[in-house]
Amino acid sequence: MTLAAPGPTAKVDFADRLLAWYRRQGRRLPWRENHDPYRIWLAEIMLQQTGVTTVIPYYQRFLERFPNLFALAGASLDEVIALWAGLGYYSRARNLHAAARVLVADHGGRFPAEVEELTRLPGIGRSTAGAICAIAFGKRAPILDGNVRRILSRVYALEAPVKTADSDKRLWIWAEELTPAANVHDYTQAIMDLGATLCTPKNPSCSSCPVSPCCLAFRLGRVAEFPVPAAPKNVPTVRQITLLLEMGGNFLLRKRPYEGFLGGLWEFPNVPLRDGEESTAAARNLLRELGLEGGLHPLGTIRHAYSHFRLAAEVLRGIVFPLADKIGENSREELWFAGDAVASLPLHGAHCKIWQKFHRKGQALW
């Protein structure tokens, strides 16, 4: 790994240049209206893996429903997940709720002002804790989110993928070195803005960048080479049989367990399709397991990409009835909902697509 660093004055220049640019060009965002740690924390959690444009309406709706830490802690997890639906990475919502309850129960509803204490809370890592400390409390603490990793990989011409243990250590050292002692509130937001608006993943605007004189990749004419890409991962495709079942004008759905992938979200009954397994047989078996019978008609396949796999859901629709020996039994896992109610449920991404396509067509077949 090349350890070549910017020139001897770059560490001084970097913060000064960045802060001057931020005073002129900094974005006006709703969580920058004050230094309330609750609002800053909420924004930082939502902004993990999600862009600003997507986050803003969710952030505003959250504050309307949960204007402070006590309101969030007093809500049910179902309420939180329902407001989070569509934002993705749902463990963030569960951790947000859990952390709010810890803060109220153990900290009297106040945020700790130290990185070490903040990282003990659910869902708060070192970078998020640093952002809260710097922006809410004005304490010097480096951050290392995705934008900052990209910036530093270019400033220092890091000749390795950013997400390795060795790179992580070096990037934290560099983030610490560049973070100034003063104006850390503005500096933290400025470096976020730089990555979001100029030092972007593709086609960075080096001619407009305030810190290009400090950037080794720029001086070498190699900006497009950084960050060094990681080796591509094999992303598997999971096949699934999904049943859109109607009885008496209502549709059958079930809630996923709170712990685990897509926890607390609703979905239509489904089962993974094993290699070599015939779709119709798998659908019939699932229908019997649900204690139902009736005709099933294929609607088509919905494809959806999650973070670590792709889903291909083969959808079948049916008007169904309870099996003779199951009449009067109630499932603990599945519930029937009217069509209007389905639309208001927090469905996960793939099954939201299924409902939207079916509902728009209003037909048994697509």
Side-chain angles (χ1 to χ4, degrees):
M1 180 184 296
T2 299
L3 296 180
T9 63
K11 294 174 185 177
V12 176
D13 289 347
F14 187 91
D16 290 344
R17 289 173 175 274
L18 190 58
L19 286 165
W21 170 79
Y22 180 71
R23 285 191 286 271
R24 300 190 308 270
Q25 303 291 338
R27 294 177 295 177
R28 300 185 64 180
L29 299 171
W31 44 86
R32 293 181 177 174
E33 294 173 356
N34 55 51
H35 295 187
D36 181 353
Y38 171 72
R39 294 183 175 220
I40 292 162
W41 166 62
L42 176 60
E44 288 300 315
I45 298 300
M46 287 187 166
L47 288 166
Q48 294 170 359
Q49 307 293 328
T50 310
V52 165
T53 303
T54 300
V55 162
I56 287 175
Y58 281 90
Y59 175 82
Q60 292 170 332
R61 286 194 294 269
F62 248 76
L63 283 182
E64 288 174 5
R65 175 62 186 84
F66 310 122
N68 54 54
L69 192 59
F70 293 94
L72 178 58
S76 70
L77 182 54
D78 281 341
E79 290 178 277
V80 175
I81 289 174
L83 275 179
W84 197 275
L87 199 55
Y89 298 92
Y90 291 91
S91 61
R92 295 182 296 173
R94 297 192 297 273
N95 286 331
L96 195 78
H97 185 249
R101 293 195 163 184
V102 171
L103 285 165
V104 168
D106 298 345
H107 297 268
R110 292 181 178 274
F111 277 83
E114 302 296 333
V115 168
E116 186 176 348
E117 288 186 72
L118 284 166
T119 56
R120 296 193 184 108
L121 294 169
I124 298 184
R126 182 180 174 184
S127 184
T128 300
I132 295 169
C133 282
I135 300 171
F137 301 111
K139 293 196 171 184
R140 185 179 184 275
I143 66 166
L144 194 61
D145 64 3
N147 280 330
V148 178
R149 286 177 186 273
R150 182 171 60 256
I151 292 167
L152 297 186
S153 76
R154 290 169 175 164
V155 169
Y156 288 88
L158 178 63
E159 300 278 6
V162 294
K163 291 188 177 179
T164 67
D166 192 39
S167 292
D168 194 66
K169 291 177 183 178
R170 297 177 188 278
L171 288 164
W172 273 113
I173 290 171
W174 293 334
E176 175 75 31
E177 288 177 347
L178 292 177
T179 301
N183 297 318
V184 70
H185 167 276
D186 284 351
Y187 173 86
T188 301
Q189 297 182 115
I191 199 166
M192 293 177 181
D193 278 9
L194 183 69
T197 62
L198 297 182
C199 196
T200 50
K202 296 181 180 179
N203 302 317
S205 302
C206 296
S207 61
S208 303
C209 179
V211 296
S212 58
C214 308
C215 179
L216 185 57
F218 177 75
R219 297 208 310 262
L220 296 173
R222 297 175 56 200
V223 173
E225 299 176 31
F226 301 98
V228 173
K233 293 181 179 180
N234 181 33
V235 180
T237 295
V238 176
R239 294 177 63 205
Q240 178 187 94
I241 294 296
T242 302
L243 302 184
L244 196 58
L245 304 176
E246 184 178 356
M247 182 167 62
N250 294 324
F251 296 86
L252 188 63
L253 291 102
R254 61 189 181 195
K255 184 189 288 186
R256 295 178 66 90
Y258 283 115
E259 296 303 323
F261 183 60
L262 303 174
L265 298 178
W266 289 86
E267 64 184 6
F268 300 104
N270 63 84
V271 65
L273 189 62
R274 297 185 294 271
D275 289 342
E277 187 176 14
E278 202 272 322
S279 300
T280 303
R284 285 289 174 194
N285 289 337
L286 176 56
L287 192 63
R288 282 193 294 272
E289 290 174 11
L290 294 167
L292 300 167
E293 61 180 342
L296 295 174
H297 306 283
L299 296 180
T301 299
I302 286 290
R303 301 184 186 278
H304 190 81
Y306 289 102
S307 58
H308 56 289
F309 72 97
R310 297 185 181 93
L311 180 67
E314 298 180 35
V315 186
L316 294 92
R317 183 186 179 220
I319 306 295
V320 296
F321 310 91
L323 288 168
D325 60 349
K326 299 291 185 180
I327 294 176
E329 290 189 12
N330 293 319
S331 168
R332 294 181 180 181
E333 297 181 353
E334 290 87 19
L335 292 172
W336 295 91
F337 293 90
D340 290 345
V342 172
S344 65
L345 290 173
L347 300 172
H348 65 77
H351 286 216
C352 186
K353 285 182 180 178
I354 289 169
W355 180 251
Q356 288 174 347
K357 191 163 188 178
F358 164 76
H359 188 258
R360 184 171 64 249
K361 291 290 185 181
Q363 302 289 332
L365 299 175
W366 293 343

